[in-house]
Amino acid sequence: MTWTRLPRIFRPTARAEVADELRFHVEERARELVESGMDPERAREQAERRFGPVRPIEDELVDSTRRRREREDRAERLMNLRMDLRYTLRSLRKNPGFAAAAVGTLALGVGAALAVFTVVNGVLLRPLPYKDPERITMIWTWMPEGYALPLSSGSFNLLSEAQTRFDAVAAFRAWRYGFSPPGSAESERVNGARVTPALFDVLGVRPIAGRTFTRDEAVPGGPNVVVISHDLWQRRFGGDRSAIGRQIELSGQSFTITGVMPPGFTFPRGAELPAPLQFAPRTDLWTPLVFDSDAVGDFGTDNLSAVGRLKESDPRPAQAEASAIMRRFLDANAPSLKTDFKLVSLADQAGKDIKGGLLILLGAVVIVLLIASANVASLLVARVSQRQRELAVRAAMGAGWGRIARQLVTENLVLSTLGCALAALIAFWMTKGMLALVPGVLPRADDIGVDWRVMAVAALVAIAAGVAFGLIVAGSVRWSHLAQALHAGDTRSAGSVRQRYGRRVLVAAEVALSLVLLIGAALLTRSFLELQRVRAGFNPSDVLTADVGMPIAGRFDPSLGPMWTQRFNDVSARLNAEPGVVAAGAISSLPLTGGVEYGGVHVVGDPMPQPGEMRTAQYNVVTGRYFDAMRITVLRGRAFDSRDDAPGVRTIVVNRAFARQRFTSEDAAVGREVRATFEFTPNPAPRMIVGVVDDVKQSALGDEPTPQVYVPQSQHSYPRLAFVVRTDGARLTPLGAVTVVRRAVRDADRGALINDIRTMDDVVSQSLAKQRFSMTLIGTFALIAVILTIVGLYGVLSLAVRQREREIGVRLALGAQPGNVVAMVVADGARVTAVGILVGIGGAIAATRVLTSLLYGVSTTDAMTFVGAAAVVAAVALTATYVPARRAAGIDPREALTAD
Amino acid sequence: MGLMARPSNLDLLQGTLDLLVLKTLTWGPAHGYTVASWIQRLTDDVLQVGEGSLYPALHRLEERGLVESEWRRSENNRKAKFYQLTAAGRAQLRAESQTWTRFASAIGKVLQATEQPA
């Protein structure tokens, strides 16, 4: 069926069309009557009479005509789309290299962007899974020196009783339990928290079965009750409702299960709270936190985290009130202290440490996306300039501008849809890879994944990119030249000056952007290498560590101290006697695991400091041959030995930084006496410094040396220590020592809990997880950027060579040497690259400043890194010019001049 | 005068007219005037189609997909709207004409009956 239709703008209105149809009828009838001899006047009259009244029929038909037109238009659009699609697929099949390059580039750029977006959304943007999370705020003690500490029992009770601006405030602390399921002798370590009953109200989360515990249960002498997580319920009780009311054994005591929390509720979660508080990645059970009369008056032990639900969304009145409460208290008790309460919204708390890094990552991935887009745009424009003749033919056959533009948009929609579908796959895998790089470091990471929101973004990007690219391409078609293109048969014209210039600007921009990324990646890598060269103060190789805890339930009871000391000494002795063990010992806070404790240390003989101005040091409790096992150098004096276990002996070992800070030299320190205020006794007797050891990086490899002191465990008991076992690496390897450690601990105390068994090398490597995360990702993005840039540069140059084939042919025919031609093409590429590199160095100087907080031991404008990265970019760019240059030199003048 | 003046016959005509239009179009594409003339001639002017009422019928058939339309040059080189049968229209015509024939013969039998049935 030939469906010749008028261009839409010339189409009569529906009413006019109907009127035409009916008028034709009447006129036809009149004409017939005239032919049979009737007078024209009368014929017309009769024809109209026979037809009847026109107006009502006309009205009736206008609607059906409109409906018909809509139907036809729809059918036409559908047909066009089908034709466009068929045409697109044909032309893509004809040119698979182009299709693969465009789809692949788009997939890489969009996929990387989606993956980063997924993580940023999961960590920073997604609302926390609690009721009205914007009203939930953490409460810390704020020190005048500018850092936050947990609350003491005293300060928590002070605040919770006096405050009026919160619906509820709750305190909690991490507590590890040995959990023995009913009928099982084997005990499992379970991460629990001791919490005040208000915690569940503050977070606004209700149990899905049973109940949480009440205020009446959280009192001294109250019943042992426990609320368990959905995960634990499923894992250990098979999701059986009869678990409610059951008795379970936790660290040797019997507890009654009162409720099960909903799936996903695992507050508090380690990655969302400051590392020194030692919260596990997720919490699986909750027991009541009980304050007895002593605890209420204890302002010295800062061991509680606190969280509150604000009555209004503005936190400022609550902050002001909390500060006023603290001020009133201090004025009455210690007027010179400047301690304060500090409110930090839970969302900020969770995202605080990682936010900067993630935003930098987002910036990096945007650069990759820009490069990918520039590449695809330049690829498409290049291709359409090769298709001038084909488009000219279509135009000659009657396709209008709109029709051809629509065809181009359809083509690009197909490309971008394929690209984005692939991108979604890439994003899926990349998100998994990213999260696997940082186990336990990224807050809220355990439930991040590519979800429908990300897929929706991918779909939107596909449509937007398809339309945008299509319009760019349509805009680049030289419509006025289409007719000439057909006549001249000139598909190899050099393209308009504007177009050639535009593509070069795009590629120069790509070079600049990828240089910025490459410099960023190089800086992070150098910083990472610097960190690994850092003197940690100990030697991690051939060392196994394991966390060993003596069973304690309920209240921490220091009177058990002698028992713990005896058990730990026993474990140490057993380990040191093992064949293949070089030395073994233990420490309260293993370096680089996040644990760190500060306490005031006062040198006897120095003037007494004002309250609150006592100088502090990191302190650790050690046992066995800890310094030997870690190969921490003893600089002066001696390490601890059996002499320190004698009753009444009070000794201490300090580090180099402490000695230099307090005594100007290591020599001067040995034999002096200090008082440590971190001991449980209110007015401790002095300790004698018996040795000075090397500085150890406690929190992070990038730390400055900090004053540190060590106290023997026999003089200061601890219920939980991290053992370190140095093996000879031959008879016994660190991994082989696992069974040795398990046996030694079990032989010393059957109820002891062993956790976190790993090599010290792993500990060091794990402590660099964040740095490795940024380095690996930005490095990957830089690599993608460089590859895309090479592809872009290669594309532009080879197109330029193809378009100038005839000109080059003429040059060769006139006697130009192939070498000149190569030089010409290489120079073309070199100019673009040089401009890109100059701009890129400028951009990098401005952009790398954001990396400051992530870098260690390397300046953000490190000259060597800049020069090196620029050289790499220049080298790969010139490599990209090689193939097109060779091609140009190989052009046969005769063929080039006679072609077409 | 057409049927417009005799509305009592309109109900009968509604379905019948559709059938007649479909039938006339089996001879090839035609514009409304031709269709009207053919019907009048074939029925010896007994069934005088109100010429105006033909057009709603044509549009109705088109909406049901039984005919389709197109503007073309007429025999004397004027622009006219031509209608032609679609495949669906042909099928519809076959079905309807069978029904119609059975119906007509049934009526005929009754009307020509000479004695009262037992």
Side-chain angles (χ1 to χ4, degrees), chain A residues 1-3 17 20-22 24-25 27-29 31-32 50-51 57 60 64-65 67-68 71, chain B residues 31 33 36 40 51-53 55-56 59 62-63 68-71 74 76 78-81 83:
Chain A
M1 186 176 62
T2 56
W3 205 246
E17 191 188 328
D20 278 351
E21 184 176 11
L22 302 185
F24 174 80
H25 185 110
E27 284 170 5
E28 206 61 6
R29 169 72 66 207
R31 196 177 52 80
E32 207 165 79
R50 285 185 66 170
F51 191 84
I57 294 182
E60 200 181 336
S64 61
T65 304
R67 281 197 298 275
R68 192 198 74 233
R71 266 198 324 274
Chain B
H31 44 72
Y33 177 72
Q40 279 161 22
E51 296 180 4
S53 67
Y55 287 89
H59 279 238
E62 187 175 24
E63 243 178 337
E68 55 194 13
S69 68
E70 181 179 8
W71 283 88
S74 73
N76 40 26
R78 293 201 43 208
K79 265 180 64 214
K81 197 173 177 196
Y83 293 87

Side-chain angles (χ1 to χ4, degrees), chain A residues 14 208 223 288 293 309 351 364 407 445 459 514 536-537 583 629 678 735 800 879:
Chain A
I208 53 162
S293 48
R309 170 173 292 275
Q407 163 69 32
S514 51
F678 51 80
L735 287 178
T879 319

Side-chain angles (χ1 to χ4, degrees), chain A residues 618-685:
Chain A
Q618 287 173 5
Y619 74 89
N620 259 308
V621 173
V622 296
T623 192
R625 297 171 60 202
Y626 174 74
F627 296 108
D628 286 344
M630 290 286 269
R631 293 244 167 94
I632 297 168
T633 316
V634 179
L635 302 166
R636 298 288 186 280
R638 63 172 177 88
F640 297 123
D641 56 28
S642 54
R643 278 172 278 175
D644 303 290
D645 297 342
V649 172
R650 296 182 60 77
T651 48
I652 193 167
V653 163
V654 302
N655 75 342
R656 183 201 300 258
F658 185 91
R660 292 207 173 153
Q661 187 196 56
R662 305 294 178 91
F663 308 105
T664 66
S665 83
E666 291 90 337
D667 287 313
V670 179
R672 296 286 297 269
E673 284 189 327
V674 296
R675 268 183 229 277
T677 62
F678 51 80
E679 296 186 41
F680 294 131
T681 37
N683 199 6

